Amino acid sequence: MAMRWSAFLDQVKERGAYDTTEEAERAARTVLALLGAHLVGGVRAELAARLPEELALILLNPLQAHEPLSPERFVRATAAWIEGATERTAAWDVGAVFSVAADAAGEEVTRRILLQLPAGYDLLFGRTQLA
């Protein structure tokens, strides 16, 4: 079942310690658009099914990535898309959004997401390395 829009943004706002819901929404839209470019097949659809419809559409219609980004490059790309962001603040944004998305997805879907991504994304999702 999909998480409600307000619940998702409230959790991102809390975890990211954002002052406004608009800041949480900007982070969520940016991070999920970039993530969508790195996921393929059923796992992307399964994650989308658990997100609010507005964010599911962003995840399912991403820009195409030419190659998978390392976690460090993903954070840099996020910083480039958020006005005024630094790599440090972008890492915070990514962590806040990924952790809420992982909670919405559940452990099994999150595990499969991490299997599609380069090593090191587990920490961005607030998870430990997979065995």
Side-chain angles (χ1 to χ4, degrees):
M1 184 165 143
M3 184 179 256
R4 288 185 33 240
W5 174 252
S6 60
F8 191 94
L9 290 183
D10 286 347
Q11 287 184 31
V12 171
K13 182 179 176 186
E14 180 181 318
R15 292 182 193 182
Y18 299 110
D19 292 327
T20 67
T21 302
E22 290 75 24
E23 289 175 292
E25 181 179 345
R26 180 192 65 206
R29 288 179 180 278
T30 302
V31 170
L32 291 172
L34 289 168
L35 178 61
H38 291 80
L39 298 178
V40 296
V43 73
R44 183 168 63 187
E46 287 182 65
L47 175 57
R50 290 166 171 82
L51 297 176
E53 183 179 356
E54 300 88 340
L55 296 173
L57 293 173
I58 290 168
L59 184 78
L60 293 171
N61 296 296
L63 298 173
Q64 294 303 309
H66 296 288
E67 63 184 71
L69 296 177
S70 68
E72 296 81 15
R73 288 182 58 208
F74 189 94
V75 168
R76 273 184 258 158
T78 301
W81 280 92
I82 298 177
E83 184 177 335
T86 64
E87 286 185 34
R88 175 173 269 162
T89 62
W92 191 262
D93 294 334
V94 170
V97 175
F98 277 2
S99 68
V100 175
D103 288 350
E107 288 301 320
E108 177 58 27
V109 173
T110 299
R111 184 186 69 75
R112 291 200 328 264
I113 289 168
L114 291 171
L115 288 172
Q116 283 194 11
L117 298 170
Y121 273 83
D122 56 319
L123 297 176
L124 293 176
F125 274 86
R127 303 302 196 257
T128 57
Q129 187 70 30
L130 297 171

